[in-house]
Amino acid sequence: MERLDITQELRDEHDLILEWVDLIETLARLSRGSFAESPLAIHFPVIDEFLGLYSDQFHHAKEEDVLFGVLERAITHCGPIPVMLHEHAIGRALRTRMVEAFAARDLESLVRASREYCGLLTQHIAKENHVLYPMAEQSVPDEERRQIREAYAAAALHHDARALRERFERERDTLRAKLG
């Protein structure tokens, strides 16, 4: 019997998050001069909404509330979960710096915090996709896999995951079109 996959859904979410990271990096690179004319500042409200709703409340919550707890019990030979949680906390702090810079109309700080956030998220996702998730697929017992998938399904229902993803895919496409 084939094992029930417990990380592909999270990897698929990472793909959309990384597409947004690329957009944020592009907007940061194009942001010079006045705050009011800065592409990053102009589009920051939707960026912040994506980071808060999709990346943090939906995706990170599934990792933290579902997968990481199981992995702490299943992976006994090393401790990757505290590192991942710490990086989530750093990401939240960087997002707070982004929001504060936006509120203060401080373009330089907004660009700097955005770039730091993107750098952190890029390396963090690489660790999860290439180290943590393969460990999860090898280590989590079959009896817990179904529970994990059920918890993911409950989170998807709670957040209306399909509508959430479709909305942010449309927003991504709109931003890409504006950037040419």
Side-chain angles (χ1 to χ4, degrees):
M1 181 170 109
E2 188 172 324
R3 293 187 100 182
L4 191 60
D5 185 286
I6 57 171
T7 60
Q8 187 59 51
E9 185 174 326
L10 299 173
R11 290 173 199 265
D12 292 343
E13 293 164 8
H14 279 170
D15 291 343
L16 181 59
I17 293 167
L18 288 172
E19 289 172 359
W20 275 85
V21 164
D22 287 342
L23 282 170
I24 296 166
E25 288 174 331
T26 299
L27 292 168
R29 189 174 51 255
L30 296 172
S31 291
R32 294 180 190 84
S34 78
F35 181 87
E37 295 175 6
S38 155
L40 183 60
I42 290 167
H43 300 292
F44 185 74
V46 74
I47 290 167
D48 185 52
E49 195 171 12
F50 171 78
L51 297 176
L53 288 176
Y54 191 85
S55 184
D56 196 31
Q57 290 179 25
F58 178 60
H59 175 77
H60 285 163
K62 284 170 43 181
E63 290 177 333
E64 292 173 0
D65 298 341
V66 179
L67 185 64
F68 289 0
V70 173
L71 289 180
E72 283 184 315
R73 292 187 305 276
I75 301 173
T76 58
H77 60 281
C78 62
I81 301 307
V83 173
M84 298 296 102
L85 291 170
H86 179 68
E87 289 178 0
H88 284 186
I90 292 170
R92 289 180 181 114
L94 286 168
R95 181 169 159 251
T96 297
R97 282 183 36 208
M98 292 164 66
V99 168
E100 290 170 349
F102 178 78
R105 299 180 60 84
D106 181 346
L107 182 59
E108 184 179 323
S109 294
L110 178 60
V111 168
R112 186 173 39 256
S114 296
R115 286 183 171 150
E116 288 178 41
Y117 181 88
C118 290
L120 172 76
L121 213 53
T122 300
Q123 61 84 20
H124 175 80
I125 287 172
K127 287 181 205 173
E128 287 182 338
N129 282 353
H130 302 295
V131 179
L132 186 67
Y133 292 174
M135 290 171 78
E137 292 297 349
Q138 290 179 342
S139 303
V140 173
D142 289 338
E143 60 272 10
E144 291 189 83
R145 290 173 174 275
R146 188 164 317 288
Q147 294 168 357
I148 289 170
R149 293 293 297 264
E150 288 171 2
Y152 289 169
L157 185 63
H158 175 74
H159 290 281
D160 195 0
R162 175 177 282 158
L164 190 65
R165 183 173 181 106
E166 288 173 356
R167 174 181 170 216
F168 286 116
E169 286 173 340
R170 281 191 309 276
E171 296 281 4
R172 173 208 58 206
D173 294 344
T174 300
L175 271 174
R176 282 180 174 166
K178 287 179 182 179
L179 292 171

